[in-house]
Amino acid sequence: AADRPRVALSASRSTATPVSGQRSFTATRQAALSRRAQLLNTVTSATGITPTGITLVGIAVLCWVIGFYVGGRPLYYLAYGLAAIFAISYAMGRRPLPLEGHRSDSRLRLAEGETINIALTLTASRRLSTFILEEEVPSRLGAPARLPIATLAAGDSIDHSYQLTLHRRGVYKLGPLKAIWGDPLGVSQRQQILQEPFEVLVHPSTQDVADRP
């Protein structure tokens, strides 16, 4: 009877996970999720098909394969219906946006620690709804500037500005400025470049030093 507590204690010690091991597992998992997100973004940029669209196509193919081997006619109907939904949604998301974007002129040379102000203007030739305006920003400087737009009437313009503090020296490429949209079901996604990227040179900050009299 006296040995039982020691057995339970040794088992609890053997199953305990060190804090460093938990941190390592968390970092590995986050890196894997980041790689997966980058892969999905690459596929979406190359094909215009979102993860939702890929899932829809996969279900349609699976239903067709099961219907072929099992002989279930309803599965064929389901597969063809999903394929039709995908085709219609993909076609709707491929329509170009009649949209023009302008970026205000900014200084191309800034000192380390300075803040740059960028103003954006959008003009639509017909009524648009549900799209995102995005300006790509290097990861070392911060997150991309994103502005969801619900509606924009024909002939109207919308202004948006954002600030970016340049804490690190180097040459950075800001942009491109692009519009992102898709179909109502989220099956497809398309990007349209409104303004090309531009380079900003961030040099070390300087201070005036007065000579001794």
Side-chain angles (χ1 to χ4, degrees):
D3 294 337
R4 291 180 182 177
R6 287 198 294 269
V7 174
L9 181 60
S10 62
S12 62
R13 289 178 178 174
S14 62
T15 56
T17 303
V19 176
S20 59
Q22 293 178 352
R23 291 177 178 175
S24 177
F25 173 77
T26 302
T28 303
R29 186 170 182 271
Q30 290 178 350
L33 292 176
S34 178
R35 289 193 296 268
R36 181 175 178 272
Q38 292 177 357
L39 178 60
L40 292 176
N41 290 334
T42 302
V43 173
T44 300
S45 300
T47 63
I49 303 175
T50 64
T52 302
I54 296 175
T55 303
L56 184 64
V57 172
I59 294 175
V61 172
L62 181 63
C63 291
W64 192 91
V65 171
I66 295 175
F68 178 79
Y69 286 101
V70 176
R73 182 171 296 180
L75 290 176
Y76 278 122
Y77 293 154
L78 179 59
Y80 294 144
L82 294 176
I85 292 174
F86 172 81
I88 295 173
S89 300
Y90 186 82
M92 292 176 60
R94 303 304 292 178
R95 296 178 58 188
L97 291 183
L99 187 66
E100 294 183 358
H102 300 281
R103 183 195 298 117
S104 62
D105 295 333
S106 59
R107 296 162 52 196
L108 301 182
R109 294 176 59 92
L110 297 102
E112 185 179 6
E114 280 194 86
T115 299
I116 183 174
N117 297 306
I118 301 177
L120 308 174
T121 302
L122 290 179
T123 304
S125 58
R126 65 174 175 85
R127 186 179 183 277
L128 301 176
S129 61
T130 316
F131 66 95
I132 297 174
L133 178 67
E134 179 180 282
E135 178 92 276
E136 291 189 3
V137 176
S139 59
R140 296 179 61 186
L141 300 180
R146 295 172 64 92
L147 176 65
I149 299 176
T151 56
L152 184 60
D156 286 354
S157 298
I158 185 172
D159 297 326
H160 176 65
S161 62
Y162 68 94
Q163 295 182 341
L164 187 64
T165 303
L166 308 174
H167 294 289
R168 297 185 178 182
R169 294 173 292 175
V171 179
Y172 299 99
K173 181 178 293 185
L174 301 181
L177 174 65
K178 56 188 179 181
I180 304 174
W181 75 98
D183 62 279
L185 297 180
V187 171
S188 63
Q189 178 178 291
R190 188 175 180 182
Q191 301 179 358
Q192 178 177 331
I193 296 179
L194 304 176
Q195 287 287 311
E196 295 295 333
F198 66 100
E199 288 187 348
V200 175
L201 173 63
V202 182
H203 57 79
S205 58
T206 58
Q207 295 181 354
D208 295 333
V209 179
D211 293 336
R212 292 179 298 177

